[in-house]
Amino acid sequence: MPSGSGQCLCGAVRFTAKEVETEYHACHCGMCRRWSGGPAFAASASGVTFDGEENILRYESSEWAQRGSCKRCGGNLFYYLKPADQYMMCVGAFDEPKDFRLTGEIFIDHKPDGYAFAGNLPQQTEAEILAAFASDTKE
């Protein structure tokens, strides 16, 4: 996994990640669509550090997750899965997004009819993705 860096829209928050998964999913859940204005594109990252941490708004979107954005410009930065201590960094916030590749769609049963991605990507429903998360936490 390569390292990566990025920032919010105004640059008040910068981040670096030691390891970034370059394959990512499009999330069609209602919360992601409301947060991002469409499907959310976020890549798993570890070893994440922030410059300008005081400018991050951490919204407790559920018992198990936070969504992070810049307090100044509102730029979305991450989805943080608390039990796994895992950041999912917004692909568009990376300085070099060209290396990322969409490899699947999750919460496909929540996707509105108004858009579709090209290609035949693997798709998982809400029930399938929640079952996969539940099995990950039992191991």
Side-chain angles (χ1 to χ4, degrees), residues 9-95:
L9 187 61
C10 72
V13 178
R14 287 208 46 83
F15 64 87
T16 57
K18 291 183 180 176
E19 294 185 347
V20 180
E21 178 63 52
T22 56
E23 294 183 350
Y24 67 94
H25 291 91
C27 183
H28 301 288
C29 80
M31 199 174 298
C32 279
R33 287 185 291 110
R34 197 172 294 274
W35 182 56
S36 65
F41 302 130
S44 179
S46 60
V48 179
T49 58
F50 296 98
D51 290 322
E53 177 92 35
E54 68 278 7
N55 296 310
I56 296 175
L57 170 65
R58 289 179 178 264
Y59 173 67
E60 300 286 330
S61 58
S62 67
E63 291 179 18
W64 62 87
Q66 295 175 338
R67 293 171 189 267
S69 58
C70 175
K71 290 178 184 177
R72 291 186 183 179
C73 67
N76 293 336
L77 296 164
F78 61 81
Y79 175 85
Y80 177 68
L81 191 55
K82 295 189 289 189
D85 189 26
Q86 181 66 49
Y87 280 97
M88 306 296 287
M89 303 303 295
C90 293
V91 171
F94 279 92
D95 295 328

Side-chain angles (χ1 to χ4, degrees), residues 95-119:
D95 295 328
E96 294 294 330
K98 68 181 178 4
D99 296 328
F100 292 95
R101 186 170 67 95
L102 180 63
T103 59
E105 299 178 67
I106 59 174
F107 288 84
I108 193 66
D109 48 330
H110 293 267
K111 185 188 85 56
D113 293 336
Y115 63 84
F117 295 113

